[in-house]
Amino acid sequence: MMKISSIILAAGKGSRMGSDLPKVLHPLNNKPLLHHVLDTAETVTESTIYVIIGHQGSRVKESTSEYDVTYVLQHEQLGTGHAICQAAPYFKDNQDEDIII
């Protein structure tokens, strides 16, 4: 049976949102946006949930401490493809795994 893992992109600054708060922590229905995504990922992921962090990563980690996730640091925010490449080492030896991004 194939395993399913998730990569959640949460490293962005959110500068267009006009706030110092990372965009994934902006609230929607009294809950950070990232929590909505994590709640959904938990229902479909049979393996690991990877959260790509960067801008204010410690703040994102603090907000999601109750979730069972693996954090992957993107030191420089160089785009979506670069963010996904940061998680690639976690998958290089496992060919029986589907990945949701």
Side-chain angles (χ1 to χ4, degrees), residues 11-49:
K13 295 179 182 178
S15 53
R16 289 176 285 208
M17 299 188 84
S19 171
D20 289 335
L21 191 65
K23 67 179 157 189
V24 297
L25 297 184
H26 279 266
L28 174 67
N29 201 23
N30 298 315
K31 186 163 76 169
L33 292 169
L34 181 56
H35 291 208
H36 291 280
V37 176
L38 286 167
D39 291 343
T40 301
E42 286 182 333
T43 67
V44 297
T45 300
E46 298 172 10
S47 189
T48 307
I49 298 172

Side-chain angles (χ1 to χ4, degrees), residues 4-77:
I4 300 173
S5 291
S6 297
I7 298 175
I8 298 172
L9 306 175
K13 295 179 182 178
S15 53
R16 289 176 285 208
M17 299 188 84
S19 171
D20 289 335
L21 191 65
K23 67 179 157 189
V24 297
L25 297 184
H26 279 266
L28 174 67
N29 201 23
N30 298 315
K31 186 163 76 169
L33 292 169
L34 181 56
H35 291 208
H36 291 280
V37 176
L38 286 167
D39 291 343
T40 301
E42 286 182 333
T43 67
V44 297
T45 300
E46 298 172 10
S47 189
T48 307
I49 298 172
Y50 299 92
V51 177
I52 311 295
I53 58 171
H55 177 70
Q56 295 190 31
S58 59
R59 197 168 177 184
V60 173
K61 284 173 83 170
E62 181 181 308
S63 168
T64 57
S65 62
E66 70 272 15
Y67 292 93
D68 182 20
V69 301
T70 298
Y71 297 99
V72 178
L73 180 61
Q74 182 185 21
H75 293 281
E76 294 180 83
Q77 283 70 60

